[in-house]
Amino acid sequence: MARIDEKLEPILETVKQRNAGEPEFHQAVIEVMESLGRVVAKHPQFLDEGLIERICEPERQIIFRVPWVDDQNRVRINRGFRVQFNSALGPYKGGIRFHPSVNVGIIKFLGFEQTFKNALTTMPIGGGKGGSDFDPKGRSDGEVMRFCQSFMTELYRHIGEYTDVPAGDIGVGGREIGYMFGQYKRLTNRYEAGVLTGKGLSYGGSRARPEATGYGTVFFVRSMLDACGEGFEGKTAVVSGSGNVATFAIQKLQHYGAKVVACSDSGGYVVDENGLDLDLVREIKENRRGRISEYHRIKGTGTYFIEAGKGSIWDVPCEIALPCATQNELNGKQAATLIRNGVRVVAEGANMPCTPEAIAAFQRADVLYAPGKAANAGGVATSALEMQQNASRDSWTFEQTVDRLDDIMTNIHDVCARTAEEYGAPGDYVLGANIAGFVRVAEAMRALGVI
Ligand code: GLU
């Protein structure tokens, strides 16, 4: 792992003290700081005006109570969050996560990452993130609707198309965005389509938004392989997760001729040696809202299922590994197994899924490794395209939208590669993404003065 420049150490110490007990936030900040030594050596002005310290401190953090009534008429209380991290480049932009693990540190790490990710897209969007410790698993439609309405009853006063534009993340998809948009519209008496993205097509959503994160990650991998004169044809891939990001990544990988042999959910992972049947994965996860273990029960021969805790999806040999589930899902030991089994490319579809030890192992072994803030930026980029369509009261075709997404991802890849080279670390996409994202935000912040 790279060391932190000594000029940056006191800043990191302050971040750690000020945000005690938030390990994921520290992890995200450390990863960026490890890249910034080379920037401040070249551009000492970025150490002025408390700029790096300011970039690590969210502009605003909102924590609120979310009361709701379950189907048994019992009152339930959850905690809601919105961290408005940085608005130097545009209105705060980033998803909302509903998951029992959500706390302020997790939302802060996500908001921090989002700031640089959004900058890499070159779209006019700042960074933010929100969520709740609400667990949608096993909840009825009615319960989810009442929860979303209560969540928005507080959130609505903090957001707006020029202020803060939330979207989905883990546990928040089209259904939840619909309920939240409905409540926002009712509370404000405004049809303000640009206040949320990831909307349904019938009320202002963008074509290709559901596909965007997964497709975008695979477009990024395509560029990485391209740069080495390689393609997907005949390569074996493993994709963790089975949600929105994972399923569309699998679809694109299959389209390019890769064989995707495994995917997972929190209950374990399934392997299909003949290549996953994506329609079945979707039927189980989207229509039945069921468990991935059912795949093996239905398909039988040639497939197997390993329960969570009894093994790891990263034990499955592959050349392309896409962690698309959640933070810190791939550790140093699992990285070593992947490397031993001949992995060639790792690209993060989720936010911070690889631990620092895993990243270091991939980089030491010369595995092509793409960090989430670059490789999964396709989702938020397409959200920005949705905002564009809403602002012009227009609606683009699927092809037009995917073409734009493809251009954006290719451009992010090229900028990261170029920046890494310029700063003396060719092939280091972590360094390239961190520096390119940071410089964009930092230059805007300098221009805006001390605010
Ligand atoms: N939650 C997604 C992300 O991590 C999308 C955010 C958005 O579309 O605003 O980038």
Side-chain angles (χ1 to χ4, degrees):
M1 263 167 279
R3 269 190 17 88
I4 307 264
D5 186 280
E6 59 181 25
K7 292 191 210 70
L8 300 172
E9 258 167 20
I11 305 176
L12 179 60
E13 269 323 298
T14 311
V15 171
K16 285 185 178 164
Q17 277 168 23
R18 213 176 243 159
N19 305 282
E22 297 175 2
E24 292 85 1
F25 181 48
H26 299 180
Q27 186 182 331
V29 172
I30 290 168
E31 193 220 272
V32 170
M33 290 249 187
E34 282 175 350
S35 303
L36 294 188
R38 293 181 198 232
V39 182
V40 296
K42 220 171 172 170
H43 306 286
Q45 71 269 25
F46 287 132
L47 271 176
D48 301 342
E49 301 163 17
L51 205 126
I52 297 179
E53 208 172 328
R54 260 195 293 151
I55 248 180
C56 296
E57 180 66 18
E59 288 177 20
R60 192 175 295 108
Q61 305 181 52
I62 303 148
I63 303 184
F64 50 97
R65 180 170 72 198
V66 190
W68 56 285
V69 179
D70 71 15
D71 285 347
Q72 284 71 47
N73 260 330
R74 267 201 317 257
V75 173
R76 301 274 185 162
I77 307 296
N78 283 98
R79 189 172 273 188
F81 303 90
R82 186 73 186 166
V83 173
Q84 299 179 328
F85 222 103
N86 194 299
S87 60
L89 296 177
Y92 310 105
K93 181 86 198 81
I96 289 177
R97 175 177 292 192
F98 291 165
H99 192 270
S101 65
V102 164
N103 58 43
V104 72
I106 299 254
I107 299 297
K108 251 194 255 176
F109 115 64
L110 290 163
F112 181 78
E113 288 283 294
Q114 196 82 44
T115 301
F116 302 104
K117 181 197 305 191
N118 294 3
L120 284 172
T121 68
T122 71
M123 317 292 278
I125 41 179
K129 203 85 187 192
S132 173
D133 54 5
F134 172 70
D135 187 359
K137 214 183 281 163
R139 290 286 166 206
S140 69
D141 264 358
E143 290 178 315
V144 169
M145 181 179 75
R146 290 193 294 280
F147 178 81
C148 289
Q149 289 174 337
S150 180
F151 186 83
M152 185 51 84
T153 301
E154 171 59 34
L155 187 68
Y156 89 97
R157 71 193 78 244
H158 308 289
I159 63 175
E161 68 173 308
Y162 295 108
T163 312
D164 182 357
V165 183
D169 196 82
I170 294 172
V172 177
R175 172 180 64 168
E176 292 74 17
I177 294 292
Y179 293 147
M180 286 194 266
F181 184 70
Q183 183 73 351
Y184 183 85
K185 187 174 84 59
R186 186 178 194 195
L187 288 166
T188 58
N189 192 29
R190 281 164 63 86
Y191 205 110
E192 189 187 328
V195 68
L196 287 173
T197 61
K199 300 183 292 297
L201 274 184
S202 59
Y203 63 96
S206 171
R207 291 194 175 78
R209 177 62 189 87
E211 289 83 351
T213 313
Y215 278 21
T217 302
V218 177
F219 290 153
F220 197 97
V221 172
R222 190 194 56 204
S223 294
M224 289 200 291
L225 287 171
D226 254 1
C228 317
E230 292 180 47
F232 288 95
E233 210 56 53
K235 287 200 166 65
T236 300
V238 166
V239 179
S240 65
S242 48
N244 178 56
V245 181
T247 50
F248 285 109
I250 294 171
Q251 189 188 86
K252 225 356 142 207
L253 283 168
Q254 291 179 338
H255 169 83
Y256 283 137
K259 183 161 123 188
V260 189
V261 293
C263 72
S264 62
D265 66 13
S266 59
Y269 70 94
V270 67
V271 176
D272 188 333
E273 269 135 20
N274 302 314
L276 286 173
D277 174 349
L278 186 55
D279 289 337
L280 180 58
V281 172
R282 286 203 168 118
E283 167 61 26
I284 294 167
K285 298 307 291 186
E286 282 161 33
N287 296 345
R288 304 188 199 173
R289 289 190 188 266
R291 311 302 300 160
I292 204 65
S293 53
E294 290 167 35
Y295 186 100
H296 168 59
R297 263 201 300 282
I298 296 167
K299 273 260 146 143
T301 338
T303 76
Y304 60 89
F305 172 75
I306 306 280
E307 219 176 286
K310 298 211 166 128
S312 147
I313 190 169
W314 310 118
D315 294 337
V316 181
C318 61
E319 284 136 312
I320 301 171
L322 305 186
C324 295
T326 194
Q327 66 270 0
N328 292 330
E329 56 161 308
L330 199 173
N331 63 28
K333 217 171 133 223
Q334 293 160 334
T337 307
L338 278 168
I339 294 165
R340 218 177 312 115
N341 287 335
V343 76
R344 179 89 188 91
V345 190
V346 178
E348 296 185 334
N351 290 310
M352 211 170 75
C354 297
T355 65
E357 295 73 25
I359 300 172
F362 291 136
Q363 293 191 321
R364 267 197 314 270
D366 276 334
V367 170
L368 295 169
Y369 164 76
K373 61 171 79 69
N376 73 37
V380 75
T382 308
S383 277
L385 300 179
E386 183 172 333
M387 290 162 73
Q388 240 176 69
Q389 292 170 73
N390 294 150
S392 57
R393 300 185 188 280
D394 197 1
S395 157
W396 306 346
T397 64
F398 187 83
E399 289 69 27
Q400 202 179 346
T401 319
V402 172
D403 282 352
R404 287 287 304 270
L405 168 66
D406 197 337
D407 285 349
I408 293 168
M409 294 312 296
T410 307
N411 182 53
I412 296 177
H413 169 272
D414 295 352
V415 165
C416 292
R418 240 190 351 260
T419 308
E421 211 157 318
E422 194 184 317
Y423 282 83
D428 187 340
Y429 288 98
V430 177
L431 192 99
N434 285 339
I435 295 183
F438 168 82
V439 168
R440 226 162 247 165
V441 181
E443 269 171 358
M445 285 175 75
R446 286 189 75 220
L448 298 179
V450 180
I451 54 168

